[in-house]
Amino acid sequence: MSSNKKYWKSVEELNENSSIVETLRNNEFVEEIPTDEFLSDKDSLSSSSTTRRDFLKYVGFSTAAATLAACEGPVHKSIPYVLQPEQIIPGVADYFATSMFDGFDFANLLVKTREGRPIKIENNTIAGAKFTANARVHASVLSLYDSMRLKVTKVGQKDATWKEADLKIKASLAEAKAKGGQVVLLTSTLASPSTEKLIAEFIAQNPTAKHVVYDSVSESAALDAFEAVYGERALVDYDFSKANTVVSIGADFLGDWQGGGFDSGYAQGRIPQKGKMSKHFQFEANMTLSGAAADQRVPMTVANQKLALVKIYNIITGSSVSVGKVANEDAVTKAAQQLKAAGSKGLLVSGIQDKNAQLLVLAINQKLASEAFSTSGTRQIRKGSDAKVSQLLTDMTAGSVHTLIMSGVNPVYTLANGKAFAEGLKKVKLSVAFSLKEDETASLTNIAVPAPHYLESWNDLMLTKGTYSLVQPTIRPLFSSKQFQEGLLSWNGNGTSYYDYIKANSASYLNGLTWNKAVHDGVSVGVASAATGGSADYSVAANALAQSKPANGFELVLYTKTGLGDGQQANNPWLQEFPDPITRVSWDNYITVSKADADKKGLTNEIVANGGLNGSYATVKVGDTSITAPVIVQPGQAVGTIGLALGYGKKAALKEEMQVGVNAYALYNNFDNVQSATLTKADGEHEFACVQSQKTLMGRGDIIKETTLTVFTAKFDEPEVWNPSPMVSLDHKEVKATSVDLWESFDRSVGHHFNLSIDLNACTGCGACVIACHAENNVPVVGKSEVRRSRDMHWLRIDRYYSSEETFAGDNKKKKEFDGLFGEKGSLGGFGDMESPADNPQVVFQPVMCQHCNHAPCETVCPVAATSHGRQGQNQMAYNRCVGTRYCANNCPYKVRRFNWFLYSNNEEFDFHMNDDLGRMVVNPDVNVRSRGVMEKCSMCIQKTQLTILTAKREGREVAVEEFQTACSSACTTGAMVFGDVNNKESKVAKLAEDKRMYHLLESVGTKPNVFYHVKVRNT
């Protein structure tokens, strides 16, 4: 029987006189269907004989659009393919091999595109592609869609065309040539054979022209030393996998030292195998990623580091250079003796920006005949010359530069005397900047040309000598951009395109590969000849270094943060919200101070009532320049030193939310990262956005399990000694907690069952996995104020813990010796003491995401069954079912679930990439963008695992052994994260699950996670 009930779609329909209802009755489409746009060529369409199938294809979209228009939600224009490009299959991703180098970061990549949009950066794993993506490279895909990019050429700060600009530049070059005026090409390091050839041709046609290379963060000291010894301006590409003993003097080689990218080789030696692993000594001022990973870390001022380097030089080479008292002399001597004993398996590196220090590094590694030190295959990614940049500034100030053409540099921001450069620009007859942004420099030039993003352009690279990489566009240019190389071609009178120029120039670098094969692979590897020479008067350098004096006042050590680097991507919200691995602070830079110095100066950090971290302000003064910044009291900071990160404090071409921090480049005098400074407390209190308020483990050794190599080797067959399982009482007998179960288990041996392995020995805390997870899973950015409220949305976090005593073993010992509640050994006072880190703590990083528990406590408390367990081991979320009770988050012992307090997309309150059409082009269509009131968390990239299964099924084959990947496991370059099917006994993850070092996080809770960890082993 039919019903006579009447239904209303909205309350508005109850009002018979409503104009809105009447409009919708007469016109069901809110927007006019753009038939003219999507039906392609109307003339050819009308003259064609249309089949019934074609007709339905055209009409089908109209019907679908009508259905969409009838929905309550907002309507967006949707235009389908009528003439579908051959290369694109809707819903299927395409991958393009390319490489990236922006003058600071570099990598060999695969770029994932969907419907012509680059949406994700992956590592190119082909043989010869040795450089992998760090967090900033992974985030660079979002910088492509930056709405603040320079969109059109500007002449005199007014919109113009490239043709107008090109004519003015050519006229200026002709005038300079006629009058003998100086022409300068100021670029970042190019590492591009074709570009360097173009510049050589340009200089040949313009005799008064010269090329000045400028690196915003200088490695000139190391370049000068290598050039003095080997006659080549390059850097050594150290192979840390070949070193059994590593001594680092102020070199954060797991960070950005000499470009970074050493973590993969380093991690290979850190996995204990057959009772052996590498030994790592670190002498440094700031706490760094390398210091956090070291077996023995010694806080030391840079002045003392110089003396320590001379001491090591004496021991290794048998020299007798007179050197004064060295701080921590016992530790320095021990490191030198073990380095000498290691011989060719030893390696010394240093980040001291002093030519004499870098000469001693070469001398020591030569004496050791270090296998990790090779003069073939040198790095070409830093070529800057401090002296030439200083000379250019002098010439500009004197008014002797006629035409200045810049590419990839922003000296008004990055030079310590940027104001002098800005004044010098006024004396240059014509200044030109090729720039992604109308930044501090481009906004002051006569001509500003929008440069394309590397994902929009062709180029070639030689990151290391003998290795040739190609850069290919993965999308058409979004704006009216013009490549610097296209400009050079035009000024050289060469009518070919830059693509053709590269192709013609590539023949001598392809090593027998065809052009198409090289483009497909992304890299071509040849044989690099070793640099010849190899001698210098090292004793003179050692004597000069031995005269080093301590700084007056504090030593200010400038560095680059893992998130923002040199500041090129300051408008990238993924990177701004990325928590610093050491301090766990996002959206800020800050002065790091030791506890002892903070107490003397009255500087404090405190956790306030809402859980946020507050800190004092301080003023640091170098010469006549002062900067006031907030303070972080940093465990492990060398007494007498302070740290401050470069790359912040930008204002030009940045959204207001991204204009954070202070510009530390203003203190970067003479390109030296160490400056004598004074520090005074300033008024006010700063509110930090810190994602981790707890610091130490407080003796909870079941979260981070660790042991020493000695114990691990001696008791390898007795893992209960160094990897104890929690025990419970069952029928008055002590049994393993994991053997007791409240639930009936189902058979998990059928089909796929996914596990994720995390090795604490290999994890360096680099954070590449965090950004990769952001990109793959459309994780929203919430901003500083929300992060401060502990509402960060990261699906994957990397917890950082300090030891309370000198070692974590000391923490456990102190905890075990607690006796009663009160007194010196009472647990009440004892645990209070253990909340404070040691002055030089041990550090450990632990990535934590949803553990995908087989007995998940979240699943049992969800009243609407929004979270449930899949057959393949994944804990799944049905977003449409979720009503946001947050019971699951309360019941999760790992605290990995995130609640959408707000709608983060299409919301003006969150003006990040999901609030504008351009930024949303990075969104992965395979993953739903969550709405307000929904719980979300790591899905173990279920969209990726299912695609792998379906691809294998479509191709009629089994899934390959290591084919399954998550975003984090594929981004991890150290091998710390390994994902796979534990039911496939040939898979690496299945073998790791049987490893004696394996343990689960909080095993005593009985959740039976599908994520497991490996005990950290220290070589102490």
Side-chain angles (χ1 to χ4, degrees):
M1 184 175 177
S2 63
S3 171
N4 293 321
K5 287 184 180 179
K6 186 175 181 181
Y7 293 90
W8 288 272
K9 290 181 181 177
S10 67
V11 177
E12 192 69 31
E13 288 189 57
L14 294 174
N15 182 2
E16 287 293 332
N17 297 320
S18 170
S19 60
I20 296 173
V21 172
E22 188 63 28
T23 300
L24 290 174
R25 279 176 181 163
N26 296 326
N27 181 11
E28 62 178 326
F29 301 117
V30 178
E31 288 187 344
E32 185 178 339
I33 303 300
T35 51
D36 287 347
E37 294 178 36
F38 72 75
L39 288 182
S40 189
D41 186 351
K42 290 184 287 185
D43 295 333
S44 61
L45 184 66
S46 60
S47 62
S48 64
S49 56
T50 307
T51 64
R52 178 176 178 271
R53 182 176 179 180
D54 289 335
F55 175 78
L56 291 175
K57 180 172 69 175
Y58 298 133
V59 173
F61 177 74
S62 301
T63 308
T67 306
L68 286 172
C71 296
E72 300 279 337
V75 175
H76 299 281
K77 262 183 201 178
S78 180
I79 303 172
Y81 292 118
V82 172
L83 301 176
Q84 179 183 318
E86 289 182 14
Q87 309 93 318
I88 295 176
I89 302 174
V92 177
D94 289 311
Y95 291 84
F96 296 90
T98 190
S99 293
M100 178 264 197
F101 180 52
D102 63 4
F104 191 74
D105 293 309
F106 51 94
N108 302 118
L109 308 171
L110 288 179
V111 180
K112 178 182 179 182
T113 67
R114 281 294 301 270
E115 287 73 56
R117 296 177 295 119
I119 63 169
K120 178 79 166 43
I121 299 297
E122 303 278 3
N123 290 316
N124 190 347
T125 57
I126 198 168
K130 62 181 295 184
F131 293 117
T132 52
N134 60 22
R136 295 185 296 269
V137 175
H138 278 286
S140 65
V141 67
L142 180 57
S143 294
L144 168 67
Y145 304 116
D146 186 349
S147 60
M148 301 294 287
R149 281 177 58 185
L150 181 58
K151 298 177 177 64
V152 296
T153 299
K154 296 203 170 185
V155 176
Q157 281 75 49
K158 294 181 180 179
D159 291 358
T161 64
W162 162 248
K163 189 174 181 180
E164 293 174 61
D166 192 33
L167 288 172
K168 284 184 176 293
I169 296 168
K170 285 179 177 176
S172 182
L173 292 173
E175 185 181 24
K177 191 173 183 179
K179 295 182 177 180
Q182 187 179 164
V183 176
V184 178
L185 300 179
L186 178 65
T187 72
S188 59
T189 300
L190 298 167
S192 167
S194 292
T195 309
E196 288 168 0
K197 184 180 178 185
L198 271 174
I199 289 175
E201 292 169 357
F202 175 83
I203 293 173
Q205 291 191 25
N206 298 273
T208 61
K210 64 179 180 179
H211 181 207
V212 177
V213 181
Y214 169 47
D215 296 324
S216 58
V217 180
S218 176
E219 291 290 350
S220 196
L223 291 164
D224 291 344
F226 193 85
E227 188 174 23
V229 175
Y230 294 103
E232 177 188 341
R233 195 163 185 80
L235 297 172
V236 178
D237 188 31
Y238 298 97
D239 187 350
F240 281 79
S241 67
K242 295 179 179 177
N244 292 341
T245 302
V246 177
V247 177
S248 169
I249 311 290
D252 183 17
F253 56 85
L254 295 180
D256 294 332
W257 174 75
Q258 295 192 2
F262 300 107
D263 47 354
S264 178
Y266 172 80
Q268 290 179 39
R270 301 299 290 170
I271 309 298
Q273 294 176 337
K274 298 179 181 178
K276 294 183 179 180
M277 63 181 285
S278 64
K279 178 84 171 183
H280 174 192
F281 296 90
Q282 185 83 10
F283 301 89
E284 63 182 13
N286 297 342
M287 174 69 82
T288 66
L289 291 180
S290 303
D295 296 304
Q296 184 171 355
R297 177 185 181 273
V298 181
M300 187 178 280
T301 65
V302 178
N304 276 320
Q305 289 174 33
K306 292 178 179 178
L307 300 181
L309 186 56
V310 177
K311 179 80 174 178
I312 294 171
Y313 169 78
N314 282 342
I315 293 173
I316 298 294
T317 64
S319 302
S320 54
V321 175
S322 177
V323 61
K325 177 68 176 174
V326 180
N328 302 102
E329 188 156 357
D330 290 345
V332 173
T333 302
K334 178 185 174 184
Q337 289 171 344
Q338 292 199 22
L339 185 63
K340 187 174 184 179
S344 64
K345 292 293 183 181
L347 173 64
L348 181 135
V349 292
S350 177
I352 299 172
Q353 294 300 314
D354 184 299
K355 182 179 176 181
N356 292 320
Q358 295 300 327
L359 283 169
L360 293 193
V361 171
L362 300 176
I364 290 168
N365 287 316
Q366 285 176 352
K367 184 65 177 179
L368 293 170
S370 173
E371 294 177 20
F373 173 90
S374 173
T375 60
S376 62
T378 50
R379 290 187 169 205
Q380 307 294 305
I381 45 85
R382 297 288 187 271
K383 292 288 186 73
S385 170
D386 297 345
K388 289 182 179 179
V389 174
S390 298
Q391 183 60 48
L392 169 63
L393 185 55
T394 301
D395 292 346
M396 289 171 62
T397 304
S400 58
V401 177
H402 183 282
T403 305
L404 175 65
I405 302 174
M406 295 174 282
S407 175
V409 294
N410 183 10
V412 174
Y413 166 68
T414 57
L415 276 177
N417 46 357
K419 289 182 180 178
F421 191 92
E423 287 300 314
L425 277 177
K426 296 176 182 177
K427 299 179 181 180
V428 175
K429 183 135 189 196
L430 183 72
S431 55
V432 183
F434 285 77
S435 176
L436 277 168
K437 301 283 195 68
E438 194 173 4
D439 54 30
E440 289 81 356
T441 303
S443 60
L444 298 178
T445 55
N446 304 124
I447 297 174
V449 182
H453 192 269
Y454 77 93
L455 292 172
E456 301 171 314
S457 51
W458 283 99
N459 205 359
D460 61 357
L461 297 171
M462 189 168 283
L463 301 176
T464 57
K465 202 172 182 181
T467 303
Y468 187 67
S469 307
L470 286 170
V471 181
Q472 66 168 316
T474 57
I475 190 173
R476 286 184 179 275
L478 297 174
F479 307 115
S480 300
S481 55
K482 186 63 65 171
Q483 210 166 339
F484 172 59
Q485 291 86 347
E486 293 177 285
L488 286 170
L489 283 165
S490 175
W491 309 326
N492 291 350
N494 191 331
T496 61
S497 68
Y498 187 49
Y499 167 82
D500 290 329
Y501 189 89
I502 296 172
K503 189 174 181 180
N505 193 45
S506 67
S508 56
Y509 302 106
L510 292 182
N511 304 300
L513 290 183
T514 63
W515 168 257
N516 286 346
K517 177 67 173 172
V519 172
H520 174 271
D521 293 353
V523 293
S524 169
V525 181
V527 178
S529 57
T532 56
S535 63
D537 194 341
Y538 297 122
S539 60
V540 172
N543 278 297
L545 204 63
Q547 306 306 312
S548 300
K549 303 295 182 187
N552 295 322
F554 283 89
E555 275 186 359
L556 169 65
V557 182
L558 301 168
Y559 68 101
T560 54
K561 282 178 69 172
T562 308
L564 229 53
D566 65 346
Q568 287 187 57
Q569 296 191 73
N571 205 42
N572 191 311
W574 287 349
L575 294 176
Q576 289 282 9
E577 193 148 297
F578 174 77
D580 183 76
I582 300 293
T583 64
R584 309 297 289 134
V585 172
S586 61
W587 292 99
D588 260 316
N589 66 339
Y590 32 76
I591 301 167
T592 57
V593 185
S594 69
K595 180 73 164 58
D597 289 330
D599 289 343
K600 287 179 186 176
K601 296 289 184 179
L603 304 170
T604 59
N605 285 153
E606 63 173 335
I607 307 294
V608 293
N610 68 354
L613 176 70
N614 285 10
S616 304
Y617 279 103
T619 299
V620 57
K621 186 176 182 181
V622 175
D624 296 327
T625 306
S626 297
I627 284 180
T628 299
V631 169
I632 287 288
V633 180
Q634 177 61 58
Q637 183 81 31
V639 175
T641 69
I642 54 179
L644 184 61
L646 302 165
Y648 286 79
K650 284 174 68 72
K651 303 294 182 186
L654 260 68
K655 289 186 177 181
E656 186 178 351
E657 292 84 356
M658 259 66 83
Q659 296 178 22
V660 296
V662 296
N663 183 9
Y665 281 112
L667 307 178
Y668 193 34
N669 294 332
N670 301 316
F671 307 97
D672 192 344
N673 68 329
V674 181
Q675 302 285 334
S676 294
T678 60
L679 185 72
T680 54
K681 184 176 181 180
D683 295 334
E685 193 173 53
H686 185 77
E687 295 184 345
F688 287 106
C690 185
V691 300
Q692 186 179 350
S693 56
Q694 81 274 19
K695 293 182 172 64
T696 69
L697 281 172
M698 296 178 66
R700 293 182 296 177
D702 55 338
I703 294 177
I704 298 292
K705 291 188 179 184
E706 70 163 39
T707 187
T708 64
L709 182 63
T710 304
V711 172
F712 177 74
T713 304
K715 301 289 184 180
F716 182 76
D717 293 322
E718 301 174 59
E720 62 276 4
V721 173
W722 46 269
N723 186 12
S725 295
M727 309 297 283
V728 296
S729 177
L730 180 67
D731 296 332
H732 306 288
K733 295 179 181 177
E734 201 172 53
V735 299
K736 289 184 178 181
T738 52
S739 66
V740 180
D741 214 331
L742 292 173
W743 313 99
E744 286 187 20
S745 295
F746 62 86
D747 183 8
R748 299 189 181 94
S749 63
V750 178
H752 302 294
H753 190 82
F754 299 118
N755 273 203
L756 177 64
S757 167
I758 301 174
D759 195 326
L760 299 181
N761 262 55
C763 179
T764 63
C766 72
C769 54
V770 175
I771 301 297
C773 176
H774 255 293
E776 176 66 32
N777 295 296
N778 303 330
V779 176
V781 174
V782 299
K784 182 175 180 178
S785 62
E786 290 298 294
V787 172
R788 182 171 166 79
R789 293 182 175 91
S790 301
R791 293 176 178 174
D792 57 292
M793 294 298 294
H794 297 100
W795 283 13
L796 189 166
R797 69 175 191 264
I798 303 179
D799 289 337
R800 179 270 302 120
Y801 296 110
Y802 300 127
S803 63
S804 176
E805 302 296 306
E806 287 297 310
T807 64
F808 285 102
D811 289 5
N812 292 333
K813 182 176 183 293
K814 182 174 183 177
K815 174 190 171 186
K816 289 175 183 175
E817 291 178 353
F818 285 159
D819 186 11
L821 295 176
F822 306 100
E824 288 186 8
K825 291 192 174 181
S827 60
L828 287 180
F831 275 119
D833 292 341
M834 292 181 74
E835 289 182 358
S836 300
D839 290 335
N840 181 30
Q842 282 189 333
V843 187
V844 68
F845 299 106
Q846 184 177 51
V848 181
M849 66 295 289
C850 174
Q851 302 290 290
H852 295 272
C853 310
N854 289 312
H855 291 167
C858 56
E859 296 169 10
T860 56
V861 295
C862 182
V864 292
T867 183
S868 58
H869 211 69
R871 183 80 190 183
Q872 295 170 347
Q874 291 145 316
N875 173 257
Q876 299 170 346
M877 281 296 305
Y879 297 129
N880 277 6
R881 295 186 66 89
C882 181
V883 295
T885 62
R886 289 182 284 157
Y887 296 163
C888 56
N890 294 334
N891 217 37
C892 173
Y894 309 104
K895 300 306 167 195
V896 290
R897 289 177 163 262
R898 304 287 179 256
F899 181 65
N900 281 273
W901 291 90
F902 300 98
L903 178 67
Y904 298 116
S905 61
N906 291 318
N907 187 342
E908 292 180 359
E909 294 297 318
F910 299 92
D911 190 17
F912 307 110
H913 67 288
M914 285 190 178
N915 193 44
D916 63 76
D917 290 336
L918 187 63
R920 280 193 296 270
M921 286 179 72
V922 83
V923 169
N924 182 359
D926 293 333
V927 180
N928 188 43
V929 176
R930 284 73 62 187
S931 188
R932 181 181 179 180
V934 171
M935 294 298 307
E936 60 180 78
K937 50 91 200 177
C938 162
S939 67
M940 247 184 203
C941 290
I942 191 169
Q943 71 280 1
K944 289 175 71 72
T945 56
Q946 293 309 299
L947 176 62
T948 302
I949 293 168
L950 292 171
T951 300
K953 182 179 180 180
R954 187 178 69 247
E955 294 174 359
R957 60 175 177 82
E958 291 186 358
V959 177
V961 176
E962 305 299 342
E963 193 173 354
F964 287 115
Q965 289 287 353
T966 58
C968 57
S969 67
S970 63
C972 183
T973 60
T974 63
M977 289 183 173
V978 177
F979 179 77
D981 180 4
V982 78
N983 283 344
N984 184 342
K985 298 308 176 185
E986 296 301 312
S987 68
K988 190 174 181 181
V989 77
K991 294 171 183 175
L992 289 169
E994 301 299 323
D995 193 284
K996 293 179 180 179
R997 286 200 295 137
M998 188 276 286
Y999 75 96
H1000 291 105
L1001 191 54
L1002 302 180
E1003 282 177 314
S1004 57
V1005 180
T1007 55
K1008 298 188 181 299
N1010 282 316
V1011 177
F1012 57 85
Y1013 296 82
H1014 289 266
V1015 173
K1016 186 171 181 68
V1017 180
R1018 293 187 188 270
N1019 192 356
T1020 54

